[in-house]
Amino acid sequence: MAEKKNHHYVPQSYQRLFSNDGKSIGIYNIKKNITFNQSSIKNTMSKDYFYSKDEKIEDALGDIERYCMWAFHKLVDNPDYNLHEVERLNILVYLMIQHGRTAYMSKILGDDVNKITLEMFKRFSGIKEIDPHLVFCFDEPPLFSLSVYAGMIVYVADLAFKIVNIDSNCDYSFITSDCPAFLANPYFDYLGYPGVKTLGYKGLCIMMPLTPKLLIMFYDSDVYKVGTRNGKVVINKQNEIEEINKLIASEAYELLVYNPKYHITSSVKEYAQRVKTSPKTFNFFNNKQNKLPFIHILDKAKSLNPKSCYQEDLFREYANYLIKNPDVRKYLEGLGGSASIEDKHKLYEELRKRK
C-alpha cells in the first residue's frame, strides 16, 4: 500500500467544489500578490506529513470528509434539501475540524502555547531574561490544533443552520481560502466589540463557502433571524457578495481560492493585502448599518450591555448549561462515534438514498 504522506489541510474533495475540471482551481497568493488561474488540486494546500506520520489520523479525517461530502453534494444539487439531523451534525463536525486543521490555526495555537508557557517559566523560575532561542512547542502542532477544536464540537451543537445562495442569474461568486471554515460574531460587533470569537458566546456564527454560489452558515437563532420567512437566503447584490468575500479574505492565511470560471475582484485582493500587512478585524457594521443585511439581529437581543452584565449573560443558554453541568457535557462527548460499525454503515446507506 502506498504511503499517504501528502496531507491536505484543505481536503481535495472540498477544493473540487471550486473546480471546473476536478483537477485545478484558481489561487491568489496574498503575500506575493500573484494569481494562478490553474493550480493543481493535488499539490495545493497540502504538506508532507502535515499532521503526523501515523496514517490512522489521515484515515479518520478521510472518513469524516467522505460522509460529509454526501450531504454537501445533496446541497449543491438542491440548496433547499432538508438535512437529516445526523447530516447537519456531520457538517458541523466538518467545519469545526476544518477550522482547527489549517496551517494558520496550528501556528496561532502553537504561538499562544509558547507565549503562555514562557510566562509561566519566568514566573516559577525567577529568571527575568530568557534565552530568545528557548521555545516551548509540540512535536506535531497541527495535531494539537485539530484535537482542540474537535473537542469543542459539543459546545456549538445548538447552532441553527442555513445555506446562503447567490442568485443563479448573478455573475458574481464566493471565493474561499486556505482557512475556509471560520468563526464570526456580528452581534458583538453590533454591541461595540468587533472580533469576538468565543465559542460559547451569544451571536456566534460558523461559516464556510461551499461552492462559488453557496455558503454554509451555522448561527445563534436566539440572536439572529437569517433570511426571509420561508427560510431561504438568496442574495444578488454585488456589494453584499463583495463584503462576504472580504470577510473570507480577512480569515485567510496565505491563499485566496476561486473557481477559474469567475475571478477575484481587485478590491478584495487589495483588502486582503491590507489586512495581512496591517491586521485588523472585519467590521460587520458601519454606523449601525449591517453590511450583510440578510443577518437580522432580533430586537430582544439588542439590549445586552457587555460592560454591566454578569459574565454568564454573555454565554448562550446551551453553553451555560454545559458549563454548569460537566457530567452532561462528558456524556454528550462520549456519544460521538459510539454507534456500532454495522449501525453506522446502515444509517449512512439510508442517508445516501435519502432525497
Side-chain angles (χ1 to χ4, degrees):
M1 182 180 293
E3 190 178 45
K4 302 173 184 176
K5 69 174 186 176
N6 185 29
H7 296 172
H8 283 77
Y9 51 88
V10 177
Q12 295 183 77
S13 55
Y14 173 75
Q15 294 185 47
R16 291 189 191 103
L17 295 173
F18 287 81
S19 173
N20 293 318
D21 58 8
K23 298 179 180 179
S24 62
I25 51 174
I27 63 170
Y28 170 67
N29 188 303
I30 301 170
K31 185 177 181 179
K32 297 179 180 179
N33 192 22
I34 298 175
T35 300
F36 300 93
N37 207 43
Q38 297 288 329
S39 178
S40 169
I41 289 174
K42 184 178 179 180
N43 299 311
T44 300
M45 295 182 284
S46 68
K47 292 182 180 180
D48 285 355
Y49 301 116
F50 179 67
Y51 304 108
S52 164
K53 289 192 175 182
D54 184 351
E55 292 187 13
K56 292 180 180 179
I57 305 298
E58 186 73 358
D59 290 341
L61 290 172
D63 285 341
I64 294 171
E65 293 162 17
R66 184 170 63 257
Y67 291 141
C68 201
M69 274 297 149
W70 295 345
F72 281 168
H73 283 290
K74 288 180 181 180
L75 290 171
V76 172
D77 293 338
N78 176 19
D80 294 328
Y81 171 71
N82 186 23
L83 289 171
H84 185 282
E85 181 64 14
V86 170
E87 292 173 315
R88 188 191 74 84
L89 287 173
N90 278 347
I91 292 175
L92 185 59
V93 168
Y94 183 101
L95 264 64
M96 285 295 290
I97 287 179
Q98 181 56 63
H99 178 64
R101 72 188 285 187
T102 62
Y104 175 68
M105 194 53 63
S106 170
K107 180 181 183 302
I108 291 296
L109 282 180
D111 289 346
D112 287 347
V113 168
N114 180 54
K115 182 178 179 181
I116 293 170
T117 309
L118 282 174
E119 288 299 320
M120 293 176 63
F121 178 77
K122 287 197 302 185
R123 183 183 305 172
F124 291 109
S125 68
I127 301 174
K128 295 183 179 180
E129 296 296 329
I130 297 179
D131 186 329
H133 297 96
L134 178 62
V135 176
F136 292 92
C137 62
F138 296 92
D139 290 336
E140 297 167 337
L143 198 55
F144 167 70
S145 173
L146 179 63
S147 65
V148 167
Y149 281 95
M152 299 298 287
I153 291 166
V154 68
Y155 282 102
V156 294
D158 61 315
L159 299 179
F161 175 86
K162 279 285 172 70
I163 283 283
V164 179
N165 191 359
I166 295 179
D167 189 282
S168 58
N169 296 319
C170 182
D171 293 331
Y172 298 96
S173 66
F174 294 129
I175 62 171
T176 186
S177 80
D178 51 3
C179 299
F182 55 89
L183 311 179
N185 198 320
Y187 179 51
F188 269 75
D189 189 336
Y190 173 83
L191 296 174
Y193 298 87
V196 171
K197 297 180 182 180
T198 305
L199 284 176
Y201 273 12
K202 294 176 179 177
L204 178 72
C205 295
I206 307 174
M207 304 181 187
M208 187 182 78
L210 180 60
T211 72
K213 295 293 183 178
L214 302 176
L215 178 137
I216 288 172
M217 180 176 178
F218 286 89
Y219 64 98
D220 180 359
S221 59
D222 286 333
V223 169
Y224 309 111
K225 178 171 77 76
V226 178
T228 58
R229 289 184 178 180
N230 63 10
K232 294 183 179 181
V233 186
V234 180
I235 59 177
N236 57 17
K237 295 181 180 177
Q238 179 185 356
N239 64 316
E240 288 184 37
I241 299 168
E242 190 88 341
E243 289 299 333
I244 292 174
N245 283 341
K246 287 180 179 179
L247 170 61
I248 294 165
S250 72
E251 297 293 331
Y253 183 31
E254 296 177 336
L255 303 176
L256 300 184
V257 177
Y258 63 97
N259 184 306
K261 178 182 176 181
Y262 303 96
H263 67 283
I264 301 177
T265 63
S266 57
S267 61
V268 170
K269 291 180 180 179
E270 291 167 2
Y271 179 84
Q273 289 179 10
R274 288 200 306 272
V275 168
K276 298 311 163 189
T277 307
S278 179
K280 68 173 185 177
T281 300
F282 176 87
N283 291 312
F284 287 87
F285 289 87
N286 184 13
N287 295 324
K288 295 296 183 180
Q289 292 298 311
N290 194 346
K291 296 178 182 177
L292 305 180
F294 61 86
I295 302 176
H296 309 275
I297 296 179
L298 300 175
D299 289 339
K300 67 178 183 179
K302 293 181 178 179
S303 60
L304 181 69
N305 185 349
K307 287 185 178 180
S308 61
C309 69
Y310 292 106
Q311 180 68 17
E312 69 175 30
D313 292 333
L314 302 177
F315 286 84
R316 302 191 306 281
E317 183 177 345
Y318 171 80
N320 266 323
Y321 181 80
L322 293 183
I323 292 169
K324 294 177 181 179
N325 298 274
D327 54 328
V328 176
R329 174 180 57 80
K330 289 181 180 179
Y331 170 74
L332 292 175
E333 289 174 345
L335 287 178
S338 59
S340 69
I341 294 176
E342 292 78 9
D343 285 343
K344 286 181 184 177
H345 286 169
K346 182 179 179 181
L347 171 62
Y348 284 114
E349 189 57 35
E350 292 175 355
L351 291 178
R352 287 183 68 177
K353 298 175 181 176
R354 191 169 175 269
K355 296 180 180 180

